[in-house]
Amino acid sequence: MTSIFFRSIKFLIGAGFVFVLLLALLGSITGLINEPPKQTAEQALHKHPKELELASNGPLGKFDTGQLQRGFKVYKEVCATCHSLHMISFRNLKDLGYSDAQVKKIAKEWAIKQPVFDEKAGTWGERDNLPSDRFPKVYYAGTGNPPDLSLITKARHDGAAYVHSLLTGYGEKPDPAVAAKFPEAMKTPEGMHFNPYFANLNIAMPPPLVSDDQVKYDDGTRATIDQMAKDVSAFLVWTAEPTLQKRHQAGLAVVIFLLFATGLAYGAYLTVWRGMKH
């Protein structure tokens, strides 16, 4: 009798616990239905990145080396002052079509040098970059360091499309009807810049691309703001995954091999079982 009594008590306690949880769940669902959460200013004013067509898109995509060289020039002349590219070595630029002599020249003339510690003097010095060196880190004199761009298209949702939209989105204004609902959000703090593609709408980085022909392309391509943003986005896809094209080629070869092997296996199956009765 005692054991039956205790089992009954445990059952009632468990049932009561489940009942309380169900009541709490029902209350939460009812609350969400009756009073849905209010839309925040960031949710209302934030824009989804615009689609960006690049040669590297898709499972069969491959790099456009001409575009990558243009994108590198934009990075060098516009972005490199504040943003590092520390996961890439100068010699990796050979994959973009640069010769050994050109890579050596680019490394030597790079504005930021390699830090060197003199053990005898106990002080830091500098030396010219070598092709084997990684791009030196940038130490910004302001509050904090801007992010390294080596993996930015992997670290941000929508990758290259996000970078392109962010670079070209400084002049875009939200729908006036939507903006009128959130007047406080439209007051850009001092030292910040409104950009609807940035997560919290205000970004410390001023517009890096301010006018057409800010960079002069060697191949004669017109350097509009949109073109420069597109080219540097393509370049940053390459820095994030330099082996993307080789991976695509290897994947295609594997698929073709598997299809061929499947055909051989099916042919062998028909040959072995031909004439056999079940």
Side-chain angles (χ1 to χ4, degrees):
M1 290 292 293
T2 303
S3 60
I4 295 175
F5 174 76
F6 281 112
R7 281 199 298 270
S8 300
I9 291 294
K10 288 190 288 185
F11 174 77
L12 290 174
I13 293 174
F17 183 71
V18 171
F19 178 71
V20 171
L21 288 178
L22 290 174
L23 283 180
L25 178 61
L26 181 61
S28 299
I29 294 174
T30 303
L32 289 174
I33 294 174
N34 294 334
E35 296 182 15
K38 294 182 179 180
Q39 188 179 39
T40 64
E42 287 81 2
Q43 291 172 333
L45 300 175
H46 180 73
K47 291 185 178 181
H48 187 75
K50 297 167 285 189
E51 290 188 11
L52 181 63
E53 292 295 330
L54 296 176
S56 57
N57 289 355
L60 301 180
K62 58 182 180 179
F63 290 123
D64 179 345
T65 54
Q67 184 175 50
L68 297 186
Q69 288 191 12
R70 296 196 302 269
F72 171 64
K73 189 160 191 176
V74 175
Y75 167 75
K76 178 184 176 183
E77 298 184 13
V78 178
C79 310
T81 304
C82 300
H83 293 276
S84 302
L85 204 66
H86 195 57
M87 300 299 291
I88 299 296
S89 299
F90 286 99
R91 62 187 173 192
N92 294 136
L93 295 177
K94 291 172 62 177
D95 294 341
L96 306 188
Y98 292 103
S99 66
D100 288 329
Q102 288 174 314
V103 170
K104 187 174 181 179
K105 185 174 184 292
I106 291 170
K108 183 178 177 62
E109 295 178 352
W110 200 256
I112 302 175
K113 307 301 180 181
Q114 290 291 330
V116 177
F117 184 71
D118 188 338
E119 295 183 358
K120 293 183 179 180
T123 58
W124 284 92
E126 292 182 339
R127 66 164 173 79
D128 288 339
N129 295 289
L130 301 173
S132 58
D133 291 326
R134 292 187 177 184
F135 282 82
K137 290 184 178 180
V138 178
Y139 294 97
Y140 193 60
T143 56
N145 289 323
D148 182 278
L149 297 183
S150 305
L151 303 175
I152 196 69
T153 58
K154 288 290 187 183
R156 297 293 185 270
H157 186 63
D158 292 311
Y162 165 79
V163 174
H164 174 262
S165 295
L166 185 74
L167 292 175
T168 58
Y170 283 90
E172 293 188 21
K173 300 298 181 183
D175 181 1
V178 178
K181 297 180 181 179
F182 304 95
E184 291 299 321
M186 297 308 298
K187 297 178 181 179
T188 304
E190 184 177 356
M192 304 293 283
H193 306 270
F194 180 81
N195 192 313
Y197 297 99
F198 194 62
N200 63 2
L201 306 178
N202 295 297
I203 184 172
M205 179 178 71
L209 301 175
V210 294
S211 65
D212 294 343
D213 300 317
Q214 186 174 341
V215 172
K216 185 173 179 59
Y217 286 145
D218 299 328
D219 62 2
T221 301
R222 176 72 193 283
T224 63
I225 290 179
D226 183 75
Q227 184 66 52
M228 289 186 289
K230 185 175 182 179
D231 292 340
V232 77
S233 299
F235 171 70
L236 293 176
V237 170
W238 173 79
T239 64
E241 194 171 4
T243 60
L244 177 144
Q245 185 169 308
K246 294 180 180 178
R247 179 171 59 81
H248 286 178
Q249 292 171 347
L252 179 61
V254 169
V255 170
I256 292 174
F257 170 78
L258 290 176
L259 290 174
F260 179 70
T262 301
L264 288 179
Y266 183 68
Y269 166 79
L270 293 179
T271 301
V272 170
W273 291 98
R274 181 180 300 166
M276 299 292 291
K277 293 183 179 180
H278 298 286

